[in-house]
Amino acid sequence: LCEKPEEVQQLLTAYAQIDEELEDEQQQMDPEVYQRLEEERVRRYLQAKSQSIAFREQVAADLQQSGVTFLGPHQHQEIICDFFVPGPPSIAIECKANPHRDWDRTLTSAQLFRAELPCDEVVVVVPDHFYETNMLRNKINAYCQVIPIFELGGLVKNANYR
């Protein structure tokens, strides 16, 4: 197979890497290692879930404080948004505690809200610090507008008196 010493060395190096990967797989099969990795994964999930729930509650408190009538969560068949202002104009509100995760899914959700809830507007509310970094200002599209939470009360209140 190998005609030159360099080819022999390349082949040996390739086999050595396979052995290393197999050793890594065997370590993952170790129940203690697996349990530790699984616990770390679940802790990250619970942390994200906790942040999401806390942010949604903060948005609900801001909506209540604004005095606007709203429903939450609001569902039509299989489509559900975090909050819904019946309007007019009707506004579906989606809370996004961490816009770095699954942004494409958020935009697709906005499309579905517009088409199937139905609603006149879709607003994605994000924590102030995400918006202030300018990272989200370019993510506005035809289906939704992205606003920081501090603008929510004013936006919804003004929308209901148009």
Side-chain angles (χ1 to χ4, degrees), residues 26-130:
Q26 289 172 350
Q27 286 178 351
Q28 289 180 6
M29 296 299 180
D30 177 14
E32 289 179 24
V33 172
Y34 174 80
Q35 184 59 37
R36 182 177 46 82
L37 293 173
E38 182 66 6
E39 184 176 318
E40 289 172 10
R41 185 185 72 78
V42 170
R43 283 182 185 277
R44 285 190 306 272
Y45 165 76
L46 291 173
Q47 180 184 23
K49 181 178 177 181
S50 170
Q51 290 171 347
S52 178
I53 291 170
F55 184 66
R56 192 176 306 124
E57 288 175 356
Q58 183 182 358
V59 169
D62 281 16
L63 286 169
Q64 283 179 331
Q65 189 175 19
S66 75
V68 174
T69 301
F70 69 95
L71 309 168
H74 177 68
Q75 183 173 355
H76 178 73
Q77 296 173 356
E78 296 89 31
I79 305 299
I80 189 167
C81 63
D82 291 325
F83 300 101
F84 187 77
V85 176
S90 57
I91 304 171
I93 300 172
E94 189 69 1
C95 303
K96 191 70 175 167
N98 183 356
H100 293 298
R101 296 189 67 227
D102 300 323
W103 189 255
D104 291 340
R105 184 173 63 191
T106 300
L107 295 180
T108 302
S109 295
Q111 286 177 292
L112 292 171
F113 295 158
R114 289 292 297 270
E116 297 185 29
L117 275 180
C119 61
D120 299 313
E121 297 179 32
V122 177
V123 173
V124 178
V125 182
V126 299
D128 296 336
H129 64 276
F130 281 110

